[in-house]
Short mmCIF file of all heavy atoms in Angstrom, two decimals:
data_model
loop_
_atom_site.label_atom_id
_atom_site.label_comp_id
_atom_site.label_asym_id
_atom_site.label_seq_id
_atom_site.Cartn_x
_atom_site.Cartn_y
_atom_site.Cartn_z
N LEU A 177 -13.34 -69.79 102.32
CA LEU A 177 -13.95 -69.99 101.01
C LEU A 177 -15.43 -69.66 101.09
O LEU A 177 -16.16 -70.23 101.91
CB LEU A 177 -13.77 -71.45 100.57
CG LEU A 177 -14.38 -71.85 99.24
CD1 LEU A 177 -13.58 -71.26 98.08
CD2 LEU A 177 -14.45 -73.37 99.12
N GLU A 190 -17.02 -71.63 104.21
CA GLU A 190 -16.12 -72.54 104.91
C GLU A 190 -14.97 -71.70 105.46
O GLU A 190 -14.15 -71.20 104.70
CB GLU A 190 -15.62 -73.64 103.97
CG GLU A 190 -16.76 -74.50 103.41
CD GLU A 190 -16.28 -75.65 102.55
OE1 GLU A 190 -15.22 -76.24 102.87
OE2 GLU A 190 -16.97 -75.97 101.55
N TRP A 193 -10.12 -73.06 106.93
CA TRP A 193 -8.93 -73.51 106.22
C TRP A 193 -7.68 -72.73 106.64
O TRP A 193 -7.72 -71.51 106.75
CB TRP A 193 -9.14 -73.39 104.71
CG TRP A 193 -10.26 -74.26 104.24
CD1 TRP A 193 -11.53 -73.87 103.93
CD2 TRP A 193 -10.22 -75.68 104.06
NE1 TRP A 193 -12.29 -74.96 103.56
CE2 TRP A 193 -11.51 -76.08 103.64
CE3 TRP A 193 -9.23 -76.65 104.23
CZ2 TRP A 193 -11.83 -77.41 103.37
CZ3 TRP A 193 -9.54 -77.97 103.95
CH2 TRP A 193 -10.82 -78.34 103.53
N THR A 201 -6.21 -75.12 96.33
CA THR A 201 -6.16 -76.28 97.22
C THR A 201 -7.34 -76.29 98.17
O THR A 201 -7.91 -77.34 98.47
CB THR A 201 -4.84 -76.29 98.01
OG1 THR A 201 -3.74 -76.27 97.10
CG2 THR A 201 -4.73 -77.52 98.90
N VAL A 202 -7.69 -75.12 98.67
CA VAL A 202 -8.86 -75.01 99.54
C VAL A 202 -10.10 -75.54 98.81
O VAL A 202 -10.86 -76.36 99.34
CB VAL A 202 -9.09 -73.56 100.00
CG1 VAL A 202 -10.45 -73.41 100.67
CG2 VAL A 202 -7.98 -73.13 100.97
N LEU A 203 -10.30 -75.09 97.58
CA LEU A 203 -11.46 -75.53 96.83
C LEU A 203 -11.41 -77.02 96.55
O LEU A 203 -12.42 -77.72 96.62
CB LEU A 203 -11.58 -74.76 95.51
CG LEU A 203 -12.80 -75.11 94.66
CD1 LEU A 203 -14.09 -74.77 95.38
CD2 LEU A 203 -12.75 -74.38 93.32
N GLU A 204 -10.22 -77.53 96.26
CA GLU A 204 -10.07 -78.95 95.96
C GLU A 204 -10.53 -79.81 97.13
O GLU A 204 -11.14 -80.87 96.95
CB GLU A 204 -8.59 -79.26 95.65
CG GLU A 204 -8.33 -80.69 95.24
CD GLU A 204 -8.87 -81.02 93.87
OE1 GLU A 204 -8.92 -80.13 93.00
OE2 GLU A 204 -9.26 -82.20 93.66
N GLN A 205 -10.27 -79.34 98.35
CA GLN A 205 -10.57 -80.12 99.54
C GLN A 205 -11.91 -79.74 100.18
O GLN A 205 -12.33 -80.38 101.15
CB GLN A 205 -9.45 -79.95 100.57
CG GLN A 205 -8.09 -80.39 100.07
CD GLN A 205 -6.98 -80.11 101.09
OE1 GLN A 205 -7.24 -79.78 102.23
NE2 GLN A 205 -5.74 -80.26 100.64
N ALA A 206 -12.57 -78.74 99.65
CA ALA A 206 -13.74 -78.18 100.31
C ALA A 206 -14.99 -79.05 100.15
O ALA A 206 -15.14 -79.79 99.18
CB ALA A 206 -14.03 -76.79 99.75
N ALA A 207 -15.89 -78.90 101.11
CA ALA A 207 -17.20 -79.56 101.03
C ALA A 207 -17.97 -79.05 99.83
O ALA A 207 -18.79 -79.77 99.25
CB ALA A 207 -17.98 -79.31 102.32
N LEU A 208 -17.72 -77.81 99.42
CA LEU A 208 -18.39 -77.22 98.27
C LEU A 208 -18.15 -78.06 97.02
O LEU A 208 -19.08 -78.33 96.25
CB LEU A 208 -17.88 -75.80 98.04
CG LEU A 208 -18.44 -75.04 96.84
CD1 LEU A 208 -19.92 -74.73 97.05
CD2 LEU A 208 -17.65 -73.76 96.60
N THR A 209 -16.91 -78.48 96.81
CA THR A 209 -16.59 -79.29 95.64
C THR A 209 -17.31 -80.63 95.69
O THR A 209 -17.89 -81.09 94.70
CB THR A 209 -15.07 -79.51 95.55
OG1 THR A 209 -14.43 -78.26 95.28
CG2 THR A 209 -14.72 -80.50 94.45
N SER A 210 -17.29 -81.24 96.85
CA SER A 210 -18.00 -82.51 97.02
C SER A 210 -19.48 -82.34 96.74
O SER A 210 -20.11 -83.19 96.08
CB SER A 210 -17.78 -83.04 98.44
OG SER A 210 -18.51 -84.22 98.65
N GLN A 211 -20.04 -81.24 97.21
CA GLN A 211 -21.47 -80.98 97.01
C GLN A 211 -21.81 -80.87 95.53
O GLN A 211 -22.77 -81.50 95.06
CB GLN A 211 -21.87 -79.69 97.73
CG GLN A 211 -23.31 -79.27 97.52
CD GLN A 211 -23.63 -77.94 98.17
OE1 GLN A 211 -22.77 -77.29 98.76
NE2 GLN A 211 -24.87 -77.50 98.04
#
Side-chain angles (χ1 to χ4, degrees):
L177 178 72
E190 299 184 36
W193 297 102
T201 304
V202 169
L203 182 63
E204 183 71 31
Q205 300 176 11
L208 178 68
T209 293
S210 177
Q211 176 184 1

